[in-house]
Amino acid sequence: MDDETSFQDRGVDAIVAEFDTYEDYLDRQITTTDLYYLEDIELARQLVELGYRGTGEILKREDFEERKEAAERARRQKLLNRPKTLYSANKNLEGHALLQALALREEPVRSGKLVTIVFIRDKNSKGQEISGYIDFAHRLQTENLEVIFDGKKRLLPKPSDLSFYNWETQTSTSSPTPNFQVIADSEVGLLFKNKRDRKLVNVDPNAPPSDNTTRTEIETDEYLQVVLYDHITRRRT
């Protein structure tokens, strides 16, 4: 790309940044004299677009819209790439064993180096015993967990998680996430297959948790039972 082309591109980008729509850009080229004689804003815009009015070379509609879409894509990507403040940052988690454990895992989970399945067994607001397996990464991506780390709300399994069971109503659900596929094996029991490296996570407490996975039981008085399954993700080659 030569210097002249680069300069022209910068000029186009400046135009796209200044005007929200192509019509706004055309209106800038229309004078009060044009409107006085033409008496029709749409006709004046058409004449500008065709090059009969305005100053300098007129940017084509398709070029404007193409650059506008590219600028919007770049803006969205910049937002996605912007470092996110951890939900657990600067929170007082003293006396909250589960939240302390999750705070240690939040950054590596967000970065994709680690995926953590959280098993929780406890009672819901109705006093019903429930249990389930939560994909921590999926919750981080789909919910604002700051209220959890602030202590304003408890982390509990729900029907949209990897696995959920209400012991009183005997309601049972399972849902895949972007990270795991749920496999109900009649012989082995419940398995979770990581979609990145295709490794299986076995949550049977009497069996090894599988390759690259560690099982950690959290000692806490806040829940009936909490177990974390940490799986280090590696792309399959």
Side-chain angles (χ1 to χ4, degrees):
M1 181 182 292
D2 57 31
D3 291 342
E4 183 178 353
T5 302
S6 178
F7 179 78
Q8 290 173 347
D9 285 342
R10 289 197 297 271
V12 171
D13 290 338
I15 291 172
V16 169
E18 181 178 356
F19 300 101
D20 291 332
T21 67
Y22 187 66
E23 283 68 27
D24 291 341
Y25 164 65
L26 295 177
D27 290 348
R28 178 64 66 86
Q29 312 297 321
I30 299 171
T31 66
T32 53
T33 303
D34 292 333
L35 285 178
Y36 177 79
Y37 286 108
L38 295 172
E39 299 181 346
D40 187 334
I41 185 66
E42 290 300 327
L43 176 59
R45 287 172 176 169
Q46 290 177 22
L47 291 175
V48 171
E49 189 170 356
L50 291 171
Y52 295 115
R53 288 289 187 275
T55 57
E57 186 177 352
I58 300 301
L59 183 63
K60 293 181 181 179
R61 181 182 294 271
E62 53 267 30
D63 291 338
F64 179 94
E65 292 177 349
E66 182 180 328
R67 290 297 184 94
K68 198 71 175 178
E69 290 176 5
E72 178 61 20
R73 287 195 300 271
R75 186 190 69 82
R76 289 197 297 265
Q77 190 62 45
K78 185 177 180 180
L79 288 175
L80 289 173
N81 293 338
R82 186 172 60 187
K84 297 180 177 64
T85 302
L86 299 179
Y87 290 131
S88 58
N90 303 316
K91 299 293 189 295
N92 181 7
L93 305 178
E94 185 177 354
H96 303 287
L98 173 58
L99 296 184
Q100 289 176 355
L102 293 180
L104 292 174
R105 292 161 171 79
E106 184 179 1
E107 193 282 327
V109 167
R110 280 182 180 270
S111 67
K113 299 173 184 175
L114 179 76
V115 284
T116 297
I117 296 174
V118 184
F119 172 77
I120 291 178
R121 181 169 64 89
D122 204 48
K123 293 186 177 181
N124 62 17
S125 59
K126 297 179 181 179
Q128 300 168 333
E129 185 172 328
I130 59 174
S131 62
Y133 293 88
I134 300 168
D135 179 351
F136 183 43
H138 187 52
R139 284 285 193 103
L140 284 171
Q141 292 166 352
T142 58
E143 296 181 15
N144 183 348
L145 296 191
E146 190 160 9
V147 291
I148 300 290
F149 286 102
D150 278 333
K152 297 176 181 178
K153 186 178 178 181
R154 300 177 71 226
L155 180 66
L156 287 173
K158 53 188 181 180
S160 58
D161 283 316
L162 282 170
S163 179
F164 171 86
Y165 187 67
N166 185 311
W167 292 83
E168 183 171 318
T169 64
Q170 296 188 347
T171 301
S172 176
T173 63
S174 62
S175 305
T177 69
N179 302 302
F180 289 101
Q181 176 184 347
V182 183
I183 301 174
D185 190 294
S186 58
E187 294 183 4
V188 180
L190 190 61
L191 301 170
F192 299 108
K193 186 176 185 179
N194 183 263
K195 293 182 178 180
R196 186 178 185 186
D197 62 14
R198 306 181 69 82
K199 298 288 186 180
L200 293 173
V201 176
N202 189 341
V203 295
D204 182 349
N206 298 314
S210 307
D211 294 343
N212 305 330
T213 302
T214 57
R215 181 183 187 275
T216 305
E217 186 123 12
I218 303 297
E219 297 294 333
T220 176
D221 295 329
E222 296 180 285
Y223 296 90
L224 294 176
Q225 186 181 12
V226 177
V227 182
L228 302 183
Y229 296 87
D230 295 312
H231 182 73
I232 299 174
T233 55
R234 295 176 182 173
R235 290 192 181 279
R236 193 182 186 191
T237 56

